[in-house]
């Protein structure tokens, strides 16, 4: 068994991995396969938070990140962001304001959409989910 990444913490008592059936349901609804590195992540951690204040670096900027979504929330987000779903994109995490991180399942790119400004701003963070994960830094809560 591989060791867990200590940056991530379960939201409840223990990690609740996304089950294979939910992954298949997600893929069916978006009509494409999820990137392997993302499937590996949610199959291990599911919805989770962080062991401190987390930020991710993308295209030279830091962005706070709050939680990764569990299977139920991933499915619910498909309806909320149906325009993204139609393009093969899923929202998979958020910041403390509820702004979503978006995974383009066709290209593997990760984006962030900031709804705290008008009009909302979307920006590319990384070219892959694995780069996104590697760029997350967690600092102890103060």
């Amino acid at each position: 068994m591989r060791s867990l990444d200590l940056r991530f913490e379960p939201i409840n008592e223990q990690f609740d991995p996304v089950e294979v059936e939910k992954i298949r349901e997600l893929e069916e609804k978006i009509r494409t396969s999820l990137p392997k590195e993302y499937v590996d992540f949610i199959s291990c951690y599911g919805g989770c938070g962080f062991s401190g204040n987390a930020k991710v670096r993308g295209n030279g900027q830091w962005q706070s990140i709050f939680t990764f979504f569990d299977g139920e929330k991933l499915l619910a987000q498909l309806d909320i962001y149906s325009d993204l779903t139609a393009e093969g994109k899923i929202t998979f995490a958020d910041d403390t304001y509820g702004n979503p991180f978006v995974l383009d399942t066709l290209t593997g790119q990760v984006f962030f959409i900031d709804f705290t400004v008008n009009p909302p701003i979307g920006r590319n963070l990384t070219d892959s989910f694995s780069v996104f994960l590697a760029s997350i830094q967690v600092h102890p809560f103060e």
Side-chain angles (χ1 to χ4, degrees), residues 1-5 44-45:
M1 184 175 147
R2 67 181 167 155
S3 62
L4 293 176
D5 187 326
C44 181
Y45 298 99

Side-chain angles (χ1 to χ4, degrees), residues 26-37:
L26 280 165
E27 291 177 331
E28 184 177 307
K29 290 186 179 220
I30 61 172
R31 297 186 177 122
T32 190
S33 297
L34 295 169
K36 181 186 179 326
E37 61 268 16

Side-chain angles (χ1 to χ4, degrees), residues 109-122:
Q109 294 176 301
V110 176
F111 299 87
F112 176 75
I113 303 175
D114 186 352
F115 285 107
T116 64
V117 295
N118 192 7
I121 296 172

Side-chain angles (χ1 to χ4, degrees), residues 5 21 29 39-40 74 76 90 102 109 130 136:
D5 187 326
E21 296 79 24
K29 290 186 179 220
V39 171
D40 290 347
L74 286 167
I90 63 166
V102 178
Q109 294 176 301
S130 57
I136 294 173

Side-chain angles (χ1 to χ4, degrees), residues 1-10 15 41 44-45 48-51 68 130 132-138:
M1 184 175 147
R2 67 181 167 155
S3 62
L4 293 176
D5 187 326
L6 297 178
R7 295 177 299 168
F8 307 111
E9 281 193 345
F15 289 110
F41 180 83
C44 181
Y45 298 99
C48 64
F50 298 91
S51 60
F68 282 95
S130 57
F132 177 82
L133 281 182
S135 67
I136 294 173
Q137 291 187 7
V138 179

